[in-house]
Amino acid sequence: MEDTRIVLVRHGESRSQEGRTVGGHVGCKGLSDRGRAQVEALRDRLVRTKELSDAAALYSSLMARAVETAEILAAALDGLDVISECAFCESHPGPEADGLDVDEYERRWPPSDEWTRDTRRDPGGETYAEMHERVSRRLDELVERHRGETVVVACHGGVVLHSLYRWLAIDAADRREVAWFNPLNASMTEWRIGDVPFWATLPVQLVRYNDAAHLAGVQPGPRAAHQRDDDPRAAEAAKTRDAGADA
C-alpha cells in the first residue's frame, strides 16, 4: 500500500492577527488581505508543482480563517469539497474572551507561573490537555480513514504544534530549556505514514515542517515573525515548551 500523506496547512494571516483580537468561533473574521495573498501564493505554487495533485480529501477547521484558506486552495486540488470539522480548530476561548482585544485579555487573565496541561486560563476556555486530546484523536482517525491517500488540512498553528507533540512524543509541560516551533502563516507541514526501516519507532515520518518557500515574494506581516495566531492563551504553554504569541 502507498504511504498516507497528511499535509497540514496553517491558515494565512487573519484579521484577528492584524487587529490583535482573540479569534475564536465568534471572534474570527477570516483572512486579512495579506493572508489571502499568502494563501494564493501557496495555491499558485501547488498548481505549478502539482506536489499535492493526488489529494483525495480537503479538510478545514470551522474557523473562518481556515475555511477561507481551504476554499482558496481547492482550486489547486481538483476542486475538492471542503470538509469542515471542529476537531481541527485552534484552542477554543471561552465566551467572555472570544473577540476580545488581546491586551484586554492579558489584563483580565494574566498568565500564571503555575501553568499545567489542565490550566483553564479564561472562563470556559479550552485547556492544553483538552485540545491535545481532540487533535491527536482526530489525526489518528484521519490516518485510518484515508490509508494510502493524500489528505490536506487547512488548520492552525496550534494544530500543527499538537501534531508534533503527538507523533514526536513531546511533552509541552517539560520545563527544560529547549528549541521551540514556529508554524508560519500559509506554511505546510507534512507527515507520511507507512513502513519504516527501524523497529523502535512509529511508522510515521515528518517529511517537512514550516515549508513556506512560496512566500518569498509576499509582503511579511507587520508583527514579529514569531507571532503564531489569534489566541494569547498559547503563551502559557510557551513558557514551558513552544515560546511564541498565539496559534
Side-chain angles (χ1 to χ4, degrees):
M1 180 181 290
E2 295 291 324
D3 288 350
T4 303
R5 302 172 64 194
I6 305 295
V7 182
L8 306 178
V9 178
R10 189 192 170 200
H11 61 81
E13 181 191 73
S14 67
R15 292 175 63 188
S16 293
Q17 284 177 275
E18 187 178 55
R20 286 182 51 75
T21 58
V22 177
H25 286 286
V26 176
C28 179
K29 304 302 180 184
L31 298 175
S32 67
D33 290 343
R34 182 181 293 106
R36 281 187 289 274
Q38 291 168 336
V39 180
E40 288 166 356
L42 174 55
R43 176 202 62 198
D44 294 347
R45 168 185 167 174
L46 297 179
V47 168
R48 184 177 66 255
T49 65
K50 302 187 185 308
E51 61 200 274
L52 298 180
S53 62
D54 62 340
L58 173 59
Y59 290 83
S60 80
S61 82
L62 297 182
M63 293 175 173
R65 57 192 184 273
V67 174
E68 287 185 36
T69 295
E71 290 173 343
I72 293 171
L73 294 180
L77 304 175
D78 199 29
L80 287 172
D81 292 333
V82 179
I83 305 168
S84 297
E85 296 188 358
C86 194
F88 299 119
C89 282
E90 187 51 85
S91 179
H92 296 128
E96 294 180 50
D98 198 358
L100 202 64
D101 178 86
V102 167
D103 291 333
E104 177 62 16
Y105 180 97
E106 296 286 353
R107 186 190 68 78
R108 292 192 193 183
W109 304 290
S112 169
D113 291 333
E114 302 302 319
W115 181 88
T116 73
R117 299 175 189 85
D118 298 311
T119 296
R120 197 177 307 280
R121 184 168 168 185
D122 57 275
E126 189 173 35
T127 69
Y128 167 92
E130 290 167 344
M131 182 178 181
H132 185 71
E133 169 62 22
R134 71 167 163 85
V135 172
S136 298
R137 180 176 61 251
R138 193 65 188 100
L139 288 174
D140 289 344
E141 292 170 350
L142 213 60
V143 171
E144 289 298 320
R145 176 183 293 184
H146 293 283
R147 286 202 173 275
E149 296 179 334
T150 295
V151 178
V152 179
V153 184
C155 55
H156 305 265
V159 174
V160 175
L161 291 174
H162 280 280
S163 77
L164 296 168
Y165 299 155
R166 163 69 183 94
W167 282 322
L168 298 181
I170 295 171
D171 183 358
D174 186 340
R175 293 186 176 270
R176 292 175 298 171
E177 291 185 355
V178 295
W180 59 289
F181 300 109
N182 173 30
L184 299 175
N185 288 119
S187 66
M188 293 187 290
T189 294
E190 179 176 350
W191 298 92
R192 293 196 188 188
I193 294 86
D195 294 335
V196 294
F198 307 106
W199 65 269
T201 184
L202 289 171
V204 180
Q205 179 184 6
L206 179 58
V207 176
R208 53 179 160 175
Y209 164 72
N210 222 8
D211 181 352
H214 46 279
L215 298 182
V218 180
Q219 181 183 5
R223 296 186 60 196
H226 69 264
Q227 180 191 8
R228 292 215 316 272
D229 207 350
D230 328 275
D231 181 2
R233 295 168 305 143
E236 287 188 283
K239 289 185 174 184
T240 63
R241 191 81 199 180
D242 59 277
D246 323 295

